[in-house]
Amino acid sequence: MTGCATPALVDVGFAKATSLGLVDYLKSSPEGWSIHSFANWIGAANAFKEGDAIIGVAAKDDEHRKVARMLLAKTRLYQIDANPIFSDDLHRAIISSVDETVAATLRDWTLGALRDYLLAKEEADIKAIMPGLSSDVIGCVVKLLSDEELTAIASKIFNPLPGSNIGERGYLGARIQPNSPTDNIDDIAWQVFNGFAYGVGDVVIGTNPVSSEPESVHAIEVALKDIVDTFGLSDVLPHCVLAHIDVQAEVEKKWPNSTALWFQSIAGSDAANKTFDLSLDRLVTHADQRQGKFAMYFETGQGADFTNGHGQSMDMVLHESRKYGLARFLSLRIAAANGRRPWLHVNDVAGFIGPEVFRNRDQLVRCCLEDLVMGKLHGLCIGLDVCSTLHMDVSLDDLDYCLERVAPANPAYLMALPTKIDPMLGYLTTGFQDHVRLRRKFDFKISEPMHHFFRKLAVIDDAGAPAENFGKPEQIYVEYRRRKGDNRPERDILAEAEQKMDAVRGRGLFLAQGHGELPEDLEPAIAQEIHTIYERSRKSIWADFDAAFLPSLADVIIAETKARDRRDYILHPELGEMPSEATVAQLTEWRVRGAGSFDIQIVLSDGLNAIAIMDDPVRNSFLQALARGLQQNGLSVAPNIIAFERGRVRAGYKAGEILFSGSSGRKAIIHVIGERPGSGHDCFSAYMTVADGQLWSQSGGVDHDITRVVSGISATALAPEIGARDCTRIFLEMWQKAGAR
């Protein structure tokens, strides 16, 4: 649902005249007490973001927002905790981690008094009350603070990782994110060498894998561990493959000591976590296994809950705060079991989802500052992925603006890539040389052990300024080979390095070498290439299918969603998840004619890159190879493809519900859809979902939690024939597993 917070129930004039807090006001007001009204007024206190409007809890205007903040400021802390907007097992776990003794001393404080305390007091006083603050209280108090006030509070609270400078005042760390669209080990390794060449990478080397198969994840873990071990950093710099935590646990069980830090994306409710195929019990089980120095690494982000269909009528800030509450709960549990604080940190991925959450640079800054304060008040070491997608109104230059607005709040770390463009995920974030600029401008430091390491590599000098090997990944490779016992002449190793870097670039990845006019500037040629990709990608994301494209397909059923045009589709993603009434009728008629009798229905959608789908050689070779592989294994594939204009992943699930409702046995959808552009590749993904007829018969019963995906398929990334082979192999495993249930 879109729109503002039920205007009929909002009497701003009456509310403005009261001296009561929100709970007492509602109990005495014409609108009366209800948890729905309570949630709407709390949401109305937020700085405006599109996501809150979609949920239905945004203020209808600035006056409404001002009055909501006034009411909230007069509300007592115990009243917030006594009236949770919704409660589930996750919320109960969060509450259990609050220190009851400290909370009792704060119960009669108003949120306004808490705001004033946070602004007036120093770190020691604030840390004394932090254990008694619930996640909902923390999520409410940030609504009362300006951007400048949020910065002031964040800049005086620090929760460094134990035995480390990471998260200390004056330090800015980095997660090297060496993603590869094909999980190529050389691609990954060379991005790490590249980061080291700019004195970047002291928190974690964390790769987002394309494949979550345990064997593939293990191969990357081994490659990362090799780099860390070779450079003697195993006790300083953990590695991590950001697969599902169940997969990481499986890898560690099969190949002991191959993993280090364990990752998981988390949500603010049990229902939203289920979308990640995650439960509180399983998270606790994994946390209980964590021993040694490195424990867990969580990623969060405002808007992830409602975009996965679980808004729960609660605003995005409160959802986000509960994620930090979950991280605090698990951190305390690990600490209690091991007798010491764990190495556990959180990365707030602000801006990754798109304009349905928020659209412009000032909203991105606001989100980052809110999340930093909430994370720090939870006692967490929190970093940021200050990022944007190509369909947001945030340019490459805007990202620099955001970084410099957020830096004074001193996040523990930022992301780090060779340029601002991620070659696999197709979004914009922090480049290596952004770190160089921020360190100079704000006098930030690198953690001491890594500072010492980079000095030994002659990348920086004692003062942290660029040294002889700054910007020279080939020299990092020489040192790596020397530590491997390679005694060849340096010129031979350098020649090999250049060959390897050329091969990486030939696969469409970026590597930075040297610099521009200043050490913090990209070399001009690659800077121009990045701007060209950005401009081309902006055009791609707004492109529809050519008028002649869908009619040209053989055996195609042309379908549409409720999105009226491309703008409607981009700004209101939920419309792209729902087939239009005409399409529902068309697919229903097709089911009556026997379409649902096949094992597998292939669906095609433009997604966020129609150009990738219209690439005939790529698309046709993939679809033909996929159908052939499935049929050779005895599976029946529907002869007609359902092709959606302006379709998102869940449109495929809805097609499956229509076709397979009432069926017996296993049925599957394979949804081929254009990926968001920005990586320099025009890629598509294949989402594979297998469920029995009973589940397909339930509206909304099929979702991402039972779906597997192969991504990055294109002529310049994962070759279509290889992508089809991978899809076939993974699909057959899913099909067999579903049949065994």
Side-chain angles (χ1 to χ4, degrees), residues 534-577:
Y534 172 78
E535 295 300 332
R536 190 176 73 225
S537 298
R538 287 281 294 177
K539 293 178 182 177
S540 295
I541 208 159
W542 289 94
D544 280 312
F545 283 141
D546 294 341
F549 170 66
L550 290 180
S552 72
L553 298 176
D555 300 320
V556 65
I557 296 175
I558 299 176
E560 60 183 16
T561 64
K562 291 187 176 181
R564 296 164 297 180
D565 54 33
R566 196 69 181 173
R567 181 174 178 80
D568 200 27
Y569 172 72
I570 293 294
L571 299 184
H572 302 288
E574 71 280 5
L575 299 178
E577 298 177 343

Side-chain angles (χ1 to χ4, degrees), residues 450-570:
M450 292 301 291
H451 188 277
H452 177 71
F453 171 65
F454 293 138
R455 284 205 326 270
K456 289 180 66 177
L457 292 178
V459 169
I460 57 175
D461 61 20
D462 289 348
E468 178 184 357
N469 288 332
F470 179 85
K472 298 178 179 178
E474 66 275 17
Q475 291 294 341
I476 308 302
Y477 182 69
V478 169
E479 179 64 19
Y480 170 76
R481 293 305 312 166
R482 290 286 186 244
R483 290 175 179 240
K484 285 287 193 182
D486 190 337
N487 294 318
R488 288 178 294 166
E490 182 171 320
R491 65 176 180 274
D492 292 347
I493 301 176
L494 287 173
E496 181 177 85
E498 291 297 337
Q499 291 174 353
K500 286 181 174 291
M501 285 191 289
D502 286 345
V504 171
R505 291 179 176 124
R507 289 188 287 272
L509 278 83
F510 312 108
L511 293 175
Q513 271 181 294
H515 56 79
E517 183 177 350
L518 298 172
E520 62 203 44
D521 297 334
L522 276 172
E523 189 274 328
I526 192 171
Q528 181 58 52
E529 183 181 0
I530 296 305
H531 278 276
T532 299
I533 289 172
Y534 172 78
E535 295 300 332
R536 190 176 73 225
S537 298
R538 287 281 294 177
K539 293 178 182 177
S540 295
I541 208 159
W542 289 94
D544 280 312
F545 283 141
D546 294 341
F549 170 66
L550 290 180
S552 72
L553 298 176
D555 300 320
V556 65
I557 296 175
I558 299 176
E560 60 183 16
T561 64
K562 291 187 176 181
R564 296 164 297 180
D565 54 33
R566 196 69 181 173
R567 181 174 178 80
D568 200 27
Y569 172 72
I570 293 294

Side-chain angles (χ1 to χ4, degrees), residues 437-714:
R437 181 181 79 257
L438 294 172
R439 293 197 306 243
R440 176 191 59 78
K441 186 166 185 174
F442 296 97
D443 196 27
F444 285 136
K445 293 177 285 189
I446 308 162
S447 68
E448 297 299 335
M450 292 301 291
H451 188 277
H452 177 71
F453 171 65
F454 293 138
R455 284 205 326 270
K456 289 180 66 177
L457 292 178
V459 169
I460 57 175
D461 61 20
D462 289 348
E468 178 184 357
N469 288 332
F470 179 85
K472 298 178 179 178
E474 66 275 17
Q475 291 294 341
I476 308 302
Y477 182 69
V478 169
E479 179 64 19
Y480 170 76
R481 293 305 312 166
R482 290 286 186 244
R483 290 175 179 240
K484 285 287 193 182
D486 190 337
N487 294 318
R488 288 178 294 166
E490 182 171 320
R491 65 176 180 274
D492 292 347
I493 301 176
L494 287 173
E496 181 177 85
E498 291 297 337
Q499 291 174 353
K500 286 181 174 291
M501 285 191 289
D502 286 345
V504 171
R505 291 179 176 124
R507 289 188 287 272
L509 278 83
F510 312 108
L511 293 175
Q513 271 181 294
H515 56 79
E517 183 177 350
L518 298 172
E520 62 203 44
D521 297 334
L522 276 172
E523 189 274 328
I526 192 171
Q528 181 58 52
E529 183 181 0
I530 296 305
H531 278 276
T532 299
I533 289 172
Y534 172 78
E535 295 300 332
R536 190 176 73 225
S537 298
R538 287 281 294 177
K539 293 178 182 177
S540 295
I541 208 159
W542 289 94
D544 280 312
F545 283 141
D546 294 341
F549 170 66
L550 290 180
S552 72
L553 298 176
D555 300 320
V556 65
I557 296 175
I558 299 176
E560 60 183 16
T561 64
K562 291 187 176 181
R564 296 164 297 180
D565 54 33
R566 196 69 181 173
R567 181 174 178 80
D568 200 27
Y569 172 72
I570 293 294
L571 299 184
H572 302 288
E574 71 280 5
L575 299 178
E577 298 177 343
M578 297 180 285
S580 67
E581 292 181 5
T583 293
V584 170
Q586 183 182 20
L587 295 182
T588 300
E589 178 184 353
W590 200 41
R591 181 190 66 194
V592 171
R593 290 161 54 187
S597 62
F598 295 95
D599 296 325
I600 303 161
Q601 174 65 56
I602 293 177
V603 177
L604 195 68
S605 292
D606 49 2
L608 293 176
N609 194 344
I611 293 171
I613 297 298
M614 291 189 291
D615 188 340
D616 285 342
V618 174
R619 173 180 42 77
N620 286 337
S621 60
F622 172 81
L623 291 176
Q624 291 167 8
L626 176 63
R628 184 168 58 250
L630 295 170
Q631 290 165 347
Q632 287 173 349
N633 282 277
L635 297 170
S636 60
V637 181
N640 299 85
I641 292 174
I642 300 171
F644 277 100
E645 289 190 271
R646 298 181 288 278
R648 293 184 181 264
V649 175
R650 286 193 175 96
Y653 302 154
K654 290 298 182 183
E657 289 178 8
I658 297 168
L659 294 176
F660 301 142
S661 179
S663 299
S664 59
R666 296 163 287 176
K667 299 291 180 181
I669 290 286
I670 299 180
H671 193 167
V672 180
I673 186 167
E675 293 179 8
R676 63 171 71 176
S679 65
H681 310 272
D682 285 317
C683 296
F684 59 85
S685 299
Y687 287 78
M688 298 169 285
T689 310
V690 180
D692 61 29
Q694 183 177 3
L695 191 59
W696 284 116
S697 300
Q698 300 173 23
S699 178
V702 170
D703 207 347
H704 302 329
D705 59 312
I706 62 169
T707 294
R708 300 279 296 278
V709 61
V710 174
S711 58
I713 307 169
S714 80

Side-chain angles (χ1 to χ4, degrees), residues 401-423:
Y401 164 89
C402 293
L403 288 170
E404 297 197 8
R405 287 285 307 278
V406 169
N410 207 163
Y413 62 96
L414 299 171
M415 295 299 99
L417 286 78
T419 70
K420 279 184 167 68
I421 293 182
D422 186 291

